[in-house]
Amino acid sequence: MSSKAVFYHAGCPVCIDAEKNLAYSLDPARFKLEIVHLGENKGRVPEAIASGVKSVPALLLGDEVYHINFGASIDDLK
Amino acid sequence: MSSKAVFYHAGCPVCIDAEKNLAYSLDPARFKLEIVHLGENKGRVPEAIASGVKSVPALLLGDEVYHINFGASIDDLK
């Protein structure tokens, strides 16, 4: 069974790079990857904050949030 | 052909969590993963710095470094 992986980003260069090189490097046999652009989907910002996302790009694997480098603060996406 | 992936860490809780949940989540069909404990292998700190690692845990995919959350500064591992 696949686990859910959510990659939150905001379209910034750091985000796009992490999406291409890291998020899409997850084992597709184990993860069902969802890409969420918080700039275009502001309605999902509260969900990201509730999951512990403090900056983007961030990868949510199960209940754990992994902030990858730094593109933008979640506060700037509200 | 597999690409090389190097996960640099220092044994800290943040590092161990990222190793278990993120590094081992990479697609094994695409990446040959090496785990490097910089606290136990200080001789590899210069190599990590040359690759752009500024803190651990960090994942090197090809030439790109992804700093994952924050465990310790590379300066504290010299």
Side-chain angles (χ1 to χ4, degrees):
Chain A
M1 202 186 83
S2 296
S3 298
K4 194 173 173 185
V6 186
F7 180 77
Y8 292 104
H9 76 109
C12 57
V14 171
C15 296
I16 300 297
D17 174 82
E19 176 184 348
K20 189 178 60 174
N21 290 319
L22 184 55
Y24 284 111
S25 295
L26 295 177
D27 186 351
R30 290 174 51 201
F31 295 96
K32 183 167 162 40
L33 179 65
E34 182 187 16
I35 307 287
V36 178
H37 188 316
L38 291 175
E40 295 172 354
N41 292 279
K42 288 194 178 287
R44 295 192 64 176
V45 170
E47 157 208 311
I49 292 172
S51 298
V53 174
K54 293 179 167 53
S55 63
V56 289
L59 185 62
L60 181 67
L61 296 179
D63 293 334
E64 300 294 324
V65 179
Y66 299 97
H67 299 94
I68 301 157
N69 292 338
F70 180 84
S73 168
I74 194 84
D75 292 331
D76 295 330
L77 299 170
K78 286 177 183 171
Chain B
M1 202 186 84
S2 297
S3 299
K4 194 174 173 185
V6 186
F7 180 76
Y8 292 105
H9 75 109
C12 57
V14 171
C15 296
I16 300 297
D17 175 81
E19 176 185 347
K20 188 179 60 175
N21 290 319
L22 183 56
Y24 283 112
S25 295
L26 294 177
D27 186 351
R30 290 174 51 202
F31 294 96
K32 182 168 163 42
L33 179 65
E34 182 187 15
I35 306 288
V36 178
H37 188 316
L38 290 175
E40 296 173 352
N41 292 279
K42 287 195 178 288
R44 296 192 63 177
V45 170
E47 157 208 311
I49 292 172
S51 297
V53 174
K54 293 179 167 53
S55 64
V56 289
L59 184 63
L60 182 68
L61 295 179
D63 293 333
E64 301 294 324
V65 179
Y66 299 97
H67 299 94
I68 302 156
N69 291 337
F70 181 84
S73 168
I74 194 84
D75 292 331
D76 294 330
L77 298 171
K78 286 178 183 171

